[in-house]
Amino acid sequence: MRTSPALRRKLISAAAVSAALLTAASTASAVAADSAETVSPASAVPAAQTEAAPGTPAERLIVGYKSGATEATSNSAAEADAAAKGKEAGEDVDFQRRLGTGAALVDLGADLTRADVADVVAHYQADPQVAYVVPDRLNKPKADPNDTEYAKQWDLYESTAGMNVPGAWTTSTGTGVTVAVIDTGYVAHTDLAANIVGGYDFIADTAVSVDGNGRDSNPADPGDYYAANECGSGIPASNSSWHGTHVAGTIAAVTNNNKGVAGIAYGAKISPVRVLGKCGGYDSDIIDAITWASGGTVSGVPANSNVAKVINMSLGGDGACTSATQSAITAAVNRGTTVVVAAGNESDNVANHSPGNCSNVISVAATNRAGAKASYSNYGSLVDISAPGGQTSTGTANGILSTLNSGTKTASSESYAYYQGTSMATPHIAGLVALMKSANSALTPAQIESAIKTNARALPGACSGGCGAGLADAAKTVAAVRGSGGGSTGGTTFSSTTAVAVPDNGAAIESSIAVSGRSGSAPSALAVGVNITHTYRGDLVIGLVAPDGTVYPLKAASSSDSADNVNTTYTVDASGETANGTWKLRVQDTAAQDTGTLNSWQLTF
């Protein structure tokens, strides 16, 4: 074995390697010039494979041998094999060292042409004892964004309670995706302007719009301040919030522009859709906004030329999800738009607050800087996922920093400010959805929700009452949907589409799914998708029955949950169960006067 001087090596373009020698599909993403990702070849693949990232430099090859090969454990055998392969190809090929995975690093020598390298790789590929051969790619230090306030954005990168966003940026920045922010509109801000596309002002009531007119194509935020008692007796005065602009900045503030903050999906575009004005906004305007933003038709409103694949609704009110709101959300999801909503800030069960309690949404709870449920955040079984929402009561810098305006009533100079709330947690997930859709445009809303839940990590802090699948992990989730490893897309889905009537105030019904072809235990985040038509879902008790008879409660009866239908995905820790076998969904109507049907359900492993 010998070590070649650095000067005698020639950097081989991995793009050339890919074009000339690598016949298998590439499985690694390109590394930008100012960033890097850790590249780890799979420890076992079914046949000799190769991979490369276009444009990434490489100067040597990494050769993985099958476990039974002598070269897999013997340095001398690997060295002899390198020499033999070089001789066969007419080149100088040298074994350098053994990697920690057991693979061999071989040097290709100086001044090899594309054809020369192709010949060497072809000889390795032809060897039945070789599992894979890949270029030894050159990585560079990963640079943080140069935005001047980025260091204050703990919610993106801190290991304790951040959402691991920088690790996703080597794969996706949200390019090609439009996010509709259904909120107070947009106040001009130079750290957002480049990522703003056309939206709409849906506020029909001029007393709410305070911009002098009703609906129009200008979603500018004129301010939503109000005087004491103006929005109800005993309600104190409030300055303008510029809420929609703060939310938009978290999702897609311009990044690497040497100013301000970084956006989670800074390659995405924001369509501001105004529905909230003085004292709030009406369901009717929000319903039309959901419809229009997702590509539906609204009478009297021009067709949307910036159809959103993600809707962010950091808003809410008390009570059940009405059939009217649910209908708009379901239609949006059926058009392929993922709807992300705030669970609410009442420190109450989200079942009592809409739209966080609607079906077909991703309902988001808020965590603080320690990774525990924020004191104000709603909770409950209808919460799907948690994300950083901040808690300024423990220090202003423990809030979420984003774009704002300094005006207390009307717009003044642009600024940045720390806010807290599930309103701040929600755009973290909307931004993540944009990253996912950019990485894999074929993803459906159901697949997106499942992947976010499956790849979440346990909350670092406490949560009582239910905080969904855990704290969202951007890097792991994006890697999973891109197929670059490190996460799970949710695996195989088993479904039952046989409709079963649910009798009024009667015995429980069961529907079965036979699971086979899996190995070992069920996952710790088994996704259970349920579609039930029912005229008062509060009557329903739903449980998952494992093959051994263990019952996992999914939904309890609730006299305060008067909405129609159950169309959502639950997450169950089924790691104590064997995956294969007959699983059952058990549904019972426990009160009189309402009936329904279990239309379908599914398990995603």
Side-chain angles (χ1 to χ4, degrees), residues 196-280:
I196 298 293
V197 296
Y200 206 81
D201 180 356
F202 275 92
I203 303 178
D205 188 332
T206 55
V208 177
S209 70
V210 297
D211 61 357
N213 52 46
R215 292 184 170 182
D216 58 39
S217 60
N218 181 8
D221 184 351
D224 56 356
Y225 70 94
Y226 50 83
N229 301 313
E230 191 174 8
C231 296
S233 178
I235 297 178
S238 176
N239 291 333
S240 290
S241 68
W242 315 112
H243 189 272
T245 300
H246 196 281
V247 168
T250 297
I251 298 170
V254 177
T255 302
N256 284 315
N257 61 340
N258 281 297
K259 70 174 295 181
V261 295
I264 290 171
Y266 60 82
K269 300 299 182 185
I270 297 291
S271 174
V273 184
R274 186 169 182 249
V275 297
L276 302 179
K278 179 172 285 191
C279 303

Side-chain angles (χ1 to χ4, degrees), residues 152-155 246 369 389-402 416-420 424:
K152 300 175 182 177
Q153 293 183 272
W154 62 268
D155 47 307
H246 196 281
R369 197 166 181 173
Q391 188 157 336
T392 56
S393 63
T394 60
T396 301
N398 292 335
I400 306 300
L401 185 66
S402 189
Y416 301 86
Y418 291 97
Y419 274 6
Q420 66 172 19
M424 284 58 257

Side-chain angles (χ1 to χ4, degrees), residues 95-483:
F95 172 78
Q96 295 293 296
R97 70 175 190 277
R98 180 82 55 187
L99 305 187
T101 58
L105 176 66
V106 299
D107 181 70
L108 297 174
D111 301 322
L112 293 189
T113 65
R114 177 182 299 182
D116 294 334
V117 179
D119 199 15
V120 174
V121 173
H123 281 90
Y124 272 114
Q125 287 180 309
D127 188 339
Q129 298 302 312
V130 172
Y132 60 81
V133 54
V134 299
D136 184 19
R137 301 186 297 188
L138 182 67
N139 295 265
K140 296 181 182 296
K142 183 168 65 178
D144 287 334
N146 62 23
D147 303 77
T148 54
E149 304 300 308
Y150 175 71
K152 300 175 182 177
Q153 293 183 272
W154 62 268
D155 47 307
L156 304 190
Y157 64 82
E158 280 192 354
S159 59
T160 298
M163 215 174 75
N164 199 12
V165 173
W169 286 334
T170 55
T171 301
S172 174
T173 62
T175 302
V177 178
T178 297
V179 182
V181 175
I182 297 179
D183 213 293
T184 65
Y186 164 67
V187 62
H189 200 294
T190 58
D191 208 9
L192 262 175
N195 284 339
I196 298 293
V197 296
Y200 206 81
D201 180 356
F202 275 92
I203 303 178
D205 188 332
T206 55
V208 177
S209 70
V210 297
D211 61 357
N213 52 46
R215 292 184 170 182
D216 58 39
S217 60
N218 181 8
D221 184 351
D224 56 356
Y225 70 94
Y226 50 83
N229 301 313
E230 191 174 8
C231 296
S233 178
I235 297 178
S238 176
N239 291 333
S240 290
S241 68
W242 315 112
H243 189 272
T245 300
H246 196 281
V247 168
T250 297
I251 298 170
V254 177
T255 302
N256 284 315
N257 61 340
N258 281 297
K259 70 174 295 181
V261 295
I264 290 171
Y266 60 82
K269 300 299 182 185
I270 297 291
S271 174
V273 184
R274 186 169 182 249
V275 297
L276 302 179
K278 179 172 285 191
C279 303
Y282 287 104
D283 278 357
S284 54
D285 291 340
I286 294 169
I287 287 166
D288 280 352
I290 294 169
T291 303
W292 181 83
S294 60
T297 300
V298 176
S299 178
V301 178
N304 185 3
S305 59
N306 297 294
V307 174
K309 289 304 178 184
V310 191
I311 286 175
N312 186 103
M313 289 200 293
S314 292
L315 49 79
D318 295 338
C321 180
T322 67
S323 297
T325 298
Q326 186 62 67
S327 176
I329 290 171
T330 299
V333 171
N334 288 341
R335 294 184 196 102
T337 299
T338 300
V339 181
V340 187
V341 303
N345 302 329
E346 293 78 19
S347 190
D348 186 25
N349 195 310
V350 69
N352 302 318
H353 305 275
S354 175
N357 57 7
C358 294
S359 300
N360 275 338
V361 302
I362 299 178
S363 185
V364 187
T367 52
N368 59 28
R369 197 166 181 173
K373 184 186 81 68
S375 60
Y376 54 79
S377 178
N378 286 349
Y379 51 83
S381 62
L382 296 182
V383 169
D384 293 302
I385 195 69
S386 294
Q391 188 157 336
T392 56
S393 63
T394 60
T396 301
N398 292 335
I400 306 300
L401 185 66
S402 189
T403 46
L404 211 70
N405 191 279
S406 65
T408 57
K409 292 185 177 180
T410 58
S412 181
S413 58
E414 64 179 42
S415 64
Y416 301 86
Y418 291 97
Y419 274 6
Q420 66 172 19
T422 55
S423 281
M424 284 58 257
T426 304
H428 283 75
I429 300 302
L432 172 55
V433 175
L435 295 177
M436 297 166 71
K437 283 292 287 185
S438 180
N440 184 346
S441 62
L443 291 171
T444 66
Q447 290 171 327
I448 286 170
E449 180 178 343
S450 177
I452 290 173
K453 291 179 175 181
T454 300
N455 293 289
R457 66 185 193 271
L459 287 187
C463 171
S464 59
C467 286
L471 182 62
D473 187 309
K476 188 177 179 184
T477 305
V478 172
V481 300
R482 180 64 181 267

Side-chain angles (χ1 to χ4, degrees), residues 479-491:
V481 300
R482 180 64 181 267
S484 56
S488 170
T489 58

Side-chain angles (χ1 to χ4, degrees), residues 502-509 532-543 555-566 570 586-596:
V502 180
D504 182 34
N505 198 23
I509 59 96
I532 298 174
T533 301
H534 197 275
T535 51
Y536 193 99
R537 70 184 183 201
D539 291 354
L540 297 178
V541 175
I542 306 173
K555 179 189 177 300
S558 172
S559 60
S560 64
D561 188 5
S562 61
D564 297 343
N565 310 330
V566 177
Y570 300 98
R586 181 178 294 168
V587 183
Q588 184 175 14
D589 184 320
T590 61
Q593 299 182 352
D594 293 273
T595 60

Side-chain angles (χ1 to χ4, degrees), residues 507-547:
I509 59 96
E510 290 184 343
S511 175
S512 300
I513 291 177
V515 175
S516 61
R518 308 297 298 174
S519 60
S521 300
S524 59
L526 176 63
V528 186
V530 178
N531 185 323
I532 298 174
T533 301
H534 197 275
T535 51
Y536 193 99
R537 70 184 183 201
D539 291 354
L540 297 178
V541 175
I542 306 173
L544 176 69
V545 184

